[in-house]
Coordinates of all heavy atoms in Angstrom, one line a residue:
L197 N -11.3 5.0 48.3 CA -11.1 3.6 48.5 C -11.1 3.3 50.0 O -11.6 2.2 50.3 CB -9.8 3.2 47.8 CG -9.9 3.3 46.2 CD1 -8.5 3.0 45.6 CD2 -10.9 2.3 45.7
L198 N -10.4 4.1 50.8 CA -10.3 3.8 52.2 C -11.8 3.7 52.8 O -12.1 2.9 53.6 CB -9.6 4.8 52.9 CG -7.9 4.7 52.7 CD1 -7.3 5.8 53.4 CD2 -7.4 3.3 53.2
L199 N -12.6 4.6 52.3 CA -14.1 4.7 52.9 C -14.7 3.5 52.4 O -15.6 2.8 53.2 CB -14.7 6.0 52.4 CG -14.3 7.3 53.1 CD1 -14.9 8.5 52.5 CD2 -14.8 7.2 54.7
E200 N -14.6 3.1 51.0 CA -15.3 1.9 50.7 C -14.9 0.7 51.3 O -15.7 -0.3 51.6 CB -15.1 1.9 49.1 CG -15.8 2.9 48.3 CD -15.5 2.8 46.7 OE1 -14.5 2.0 46.4 OE2 -16.1 3.5 46.0
R201 N -13.7 0.6 51.7 CA -13.2 -0.7 52.3 C -13.3 -0.7 53.8 O -12.9 -1.6 54.5 CB -11.6 -0.8 51.9 CG -11.4 -1.1 50.5 CD -10.0 -1.1 50.1 NE -9.1 -2.0 50.9 CZ -9.1 -3.3 50.8 NH1 -9.7 -3.9 49.7 NH2 -8.3 -4.1 51.6
G202 N -13.8 0.5 54.4 CA -14.0 0.5 55.9 C -12.7 0.6 56.6 O -12.6 0.1 57.7
E203 N -11.6 1.2 56.0 CA -10.3 1.2 56.7 C -9.9 2.7 57.1 O -8.7 3.0 57.4 CB -9.2 0.8 55.6 CG -9.5 -0.7 55.3 CD -8.4 -1.3 54.3 OE1 -7.4 -0.6 54.1 OE2 -8.5 -2.4 53.9
M204 N -10.8 3.6 57.1 CA -10.4 4.9 57.5 C -9.9 5.1 58.9 O -9.1 5.9 59.2 CB -11.7 5.9 57.2 CG -11.4 7.4 57.4 SD -10.0 8.0 56.2 CE -10.9 8.1 54.7
D205 N -10.5 4.3 59.8 CA -10.2 4.3 61.2 C -9.0 3.4 61.5 O -8.6 3.3 62.7 CB -11.3 4.0 62.0 CG -12.4 5.1 62.0 OD1 -12.0 6.2 61.8 OD2 -13.6 4.7 62.1
T206 N -8.5 2.7 60.6 CA -7.2 1.8 60.8 C -6.0 2.7 61.0 O -5.9 3.9 60.7 CB -7.2 0.7 59.7 OG1 -6.8 1.5 58.5 CG2 -8.4 -0.1 59.5
A207 N -4.9 2.0 61.5 CA -3.6 2.7 61.7 C -3.2 3.1 60.2 O -2.7 4.4 60.2 CB -2.7 1.7 62.2
Q208 N -3.2 2.4 59.2 CA -2.8 2.8 57.9 C -3.8 3.8 57.3 O -3.3 4.7 56.7 CB -2.6 1.6 57.0 CG -3.9 1.0 56.6 CD -4.2 -0.2 57.4 OE1 -3.7 -0.3 58.5 NE2 -5.0 -1.1 57.0
G209 N -5.0 3.8 57.7 CA -6.0 4.7 57.2 C -5.6 6.2 57.8 O -5.6 7.2 57.1
K210 N -5.4 6.2 59.0 CA -5.1 7.6 59.7 C -3.8 8.0 59.2 O -3.7 9.4 59.0 CB -5.1 7.4 61.2 CG -6.6 7.0 61.8 CD -6.4 6.7 63.3 CE -7.8 6.4 63.8 NZ -7.8 6.1 65.4
L211 N -2.9 7.2 59.1 CA -1.5 7.7 58.7 C -1.6 8.3 57.3 O -1.0 9.2 57.0 CB -0.5 6.5 58.8 CG 1.0 6.8 58.2 CD1 1.5 8.0 59.1 CD2 1.8 5.5 58.4
S212 N -2.3 7.5 56.4 CA -2.5 8.0 55.0 C -3.2 9.2 54.9 O -2.8 10.3 54.2 CB -3.2 7.0 54.1 OG -2.5 5.6 54.1
L213 N -4.2 9.4 55.7 CA -5.0 10.7 55.8 C -4.1 11.8 56.2 O -4.2 13.0 55.6 CB -6.1 10.5 56.8 CG -7.0 11.8 57.1 CD1 -7.7 12.3 55.9 CD2 -8.0 11.5 58.1
A214 N -3.3 11.6 57.2 CA -2.3 12.7 57.7 C -1.4 13.1 56.7 O -1.1 14.3 56.3 CB -1.6 12.2 58.9
I215 N -0.7 12.1 55.9 CA 0.1 12.4 54.9 C -0.5 13.1 53.6 O 0.0 14.1 53.2 CB 1.0 11.2 54.4 CG1 1.8 10.7 55.6 CG2 1.8 11.4 53.1 CD1 2.5 9.3 55.3
L216 N -1.7 12.6 53.4 CA -2.5 13.4 52.2 C -2.8 14.7 52.6 O -2.8 15.7 51.7 CB -3.8 12.5 51.9 CG -3.5 11.2 51.2 CD1 -4.7 10.4 51.1 CD2 -2.9 11.5 49.8
L217 N -3.2 15.0 53.9 CA -3.6 16.3 54.2 C -2.3 17.2 54.2 O -2.3 18.3 53.6 CB -4.1 16.3 55.7 CG -4.5 17.6 56.2 CD1 -5.5 18.4 55.5 CD2 -4.9 17.5 57.8
F218 N -1.2 16.8 54.5 CA 0.2 17.5 54.5 C 0.4 17.8 53.0 O 0.7 19.0 52.7 CB 1.2 16.8 55.1 CG 2.6 17.5 55.1 CD1 2.9 18.4 56.2 CD2 3.5 17.4 54.1 CE1 4.0 19.2 56.1 CE2 4.7 18.0 54.1 CZ 4.9 19.0 55.1
Q219 N 0.2 16.8 52.1 CA 0.4 17.1 50.7 C -0.6 18.2 50.2 O -0.1 19.0 49.4 CB 0.2 15.6 49.9 CG 1.3 14.7 50.2 CD 1.0 13.5 49.4 OE1 0.0 13.3 48.7 NE2 1.8 12.4 49.5
D220 N -1.8 18.0 50.6 CA -2.7 19.2 50.2 C -2.3 20.6 50.6 O -2.5 21.5 49.8 CB -4.1 18.8 50.6 CG -4.7 17.5 49.9 OD1 -4.3 17.2 48.8 OD2 -5.6 16.9 50.6

């Protein structure tokens, strides 16, 4: 969804990515 909405490079996108990576 972040990729589809173009929000991967936003502040919330990077933060969500970091937390998801930690969860994985």
Side-chain angles (χ1 to χ4, degrees):
L197 291 173
L198 288 175
L199 286 171
E200 289 177 353
R201 293 172 54 81
E203 297 181 6
M204 187 58 76
D205 292 327
T206 61
Q208 67 269 18
K210 293 178 180 178
L211 178 62
S212 301
L213 174 64
I215 294 176
L216 287 169
L217 177 57
F218 183 83
Q219 291 179 358
D220 291 337

